[in-house]
Amino acid sequence: MVEMPFNSPADFAAGVAPPADATRALWFVFKADRLLVELGPPSPQPSGDLRVPVRPSWARVPVGGALLKNNNPLWFEPARTLYLGALGGLPCWAAEAPVEAGPPPAGHAWESLRTLFSVLDDAHFALAGRAIQLVDWDRNHRYCGRCGTPTEAKAEERARVCPACRLTAYPRISPAVMALVRRGGEILLGRGPHFPPGMYSALAGFVEPGETLEQCVAREVEEEVGVKVSRIRYFASQPWPFPNSLMIAFVCDWVSGDIRPQAGEIEAADWFDVLQLPKLPSKISIARRLIDAVAGEMRAERA
Ligand SMILES: [Zn+2]
């Protein structure tokens, strides 16, 4: 199994009911999509992510009182709090700061998750990805999607239920496939219109109702670049909190067709020799793990 950023830490036990007696807790506090961290000075090392110009040399998730009301580690009244579970026995909470929350105390800052990759402790980084998705889900399901009545959090599981019509909303995860197409000693990479300049990646798209993951791979590749593929095989999966996906990565073989990039979706796509790859996404994403693994294998085959 490939270890992936955002994977649940091995010593994390998810839960919805906080322990009654804990005195310390980890606080994953978000303001929009930025996490509250205690922050060191900028790192002199260049960032491995084209989307992140400067990374801090270190960052820490704040540890505060176990219960917000008893020992409030925050300087504002949070818009919402959710108990996440325990990491090695330490309770973990997620909270959302209201838009009007003032600047954080000295030495603290709101930072994007991308900036914090490989800066924050791996387990804390993964839980931050879980926390932002649950905060987002909780905020978006305050009202019943069927009848508009305010919903209530269920005490025994992660769900919000409508007291009027009983519609239950569970945290939503949107599955998306990623496909790396092989042809001889080359792989097919493309770039979207919003990619950093020069960066290429594997193709990706959301799974539609009624299709298998393999059917989705074949459809997405044909739609995005006009190429038919076969021998679709599983690589690995990764929780992806931007905003709520599960990325499921596959390798497949080219069968037929010339590259025709889909207008609006794919700005450019090409076959790349595995010895001469373009700029690639950072190691935060399964895309990079997939490309590195397959290209490495293909180079070894050639040697
Ligand atoms: Zn309802």
Side-chain angles (χ1 to χ4, degrees):
M1 202 191 83
V2 194
E3 269 297 313
M4 219 61 78
F6 296 120
N7 276 15
S8 281
D11 55 348
F12 177 70
V16 291
D21 53 349
T23 53
R24 293 168 72 243
L26 275 169
W27 280 94
F28 297 89
V29 185
F30 283 91
K31 187 175 182 186
D33 60 352
R34 289 174 168 254
L35 178 69
L36 177 68
V37 284
E38 197 185 340
L39 200 65
S43 169
Q45 308 269 335
S47 162
D49 190 335
L50 293 172
R51 300 176 206 249
V52 177
V54 183
R55 285 186 316 164
S57 47
W58 59 266
R60 276 194 292 263
V61 173
V63 178
L67 288 170
L68 198 72
K69 289 195 174 75
N70 292 358
N71 186 6
N72 191 344
L74 307 174
W75 66 98
F76 52 80
E77 193 59 38
R80 55 186 31 77
T81 58
L82 286 98
Y83 180 68
L84 298 174
L87 177 69
L90 185 62
C92 301
W93 288 86
E96 182 186 24
V99 274
E100 66 272 15
H108 292 68
W110 301 108
E111 278 294 344
S112 74
L113 287 186
R114 281 187 182 280
T115 302
L116 295 171
F117 171 59
S118 76
V119 176
L120 216 55
D121 171 89
D122 287 348
H124 294 179
F125 184 75
L127 291 177
R130 176 184 287 252
I132 192 174
Q133 292 183 77
L134 291 175
V135 163
D136 207 47
W137 162 77
D138 192 76
R139 185 197 319 114
N140 295 341
H141 291 82
R142 281 175 292 166
Y143 300 95
C144 175
R146 185 156 61 198
C147 76
T149 304
T151 57
E152 294 164 357
K154 278 183 99 169
E156 68 278 16
E157 61 174 341
R158 187 78 65 197
R160 295 193 68 89
V161 64
C162 172
C165 77
R166 308 310 299 172
L167 181 69
T168 304
Y170 296 95
R172 191 182 75 185
I173 294 160
S174 302
V177 300
M178 178 159 283
L180 187 58
V181 187
R182 287 183 57 158
R183 185 184 73 174
E186 298 174 315
I187 55 177
L188 197 168
L189 300 174
R191 50 173 285 113
H194 307 297
F195 279 26
M199 192 186 95
Y200 283 74
S201 186
L203 305 176
F206 287 105
V207 181
E208 291 185 352
E211 72 184 354
T212 66
L213 298 174
E214 291 83 355
Q215 287 172 326
C216 180
V217 166
R219 175 183 57 75
E220 280 291 342
V221 172
E222 191 165 5
E223 277 177 12
E224 291 191 347
V225 293
V227 159
K228 285 195 188 296
V229 296
S230 70
R231 289 191 67 230
I232 297 164
R233 55 245 187 234
Y234 177 74
F235 172 71
S237 66
Q238 178 189 34
W240 190 242
F242 305 111
N244 57 9
S245 293
L246 176 67
M247 302 299 304
I248 307 135
F250 293 86
V251 188
C252 55
D253 292 347
W254 172 84
V255 173
S256 64
D258 295 324
I259 293 175
R260 280 179 289 102
Q262 182 183 18
E265 282 287 315
I266 303 294
E267 187 181 272
D270 212 338
W271 295 105
F272 290 90
D273 188 291
V274 289
L275 295 175
Q276 284 178 310
L277 294 176
K279 284 183 199 166
L280 298 172
S282 99
K283 287 180 163 43
I284 188 178
S285 74
I286 195 171
R288 179 58 177 275
R289 310 279 173 130
L290 173 66
I291 295 166
D292 283 353
V294 172
E297 222 171 79
M298 289 167 70
R299 284 185 211 114
E301 281 168 20
R302 204 184 290 189

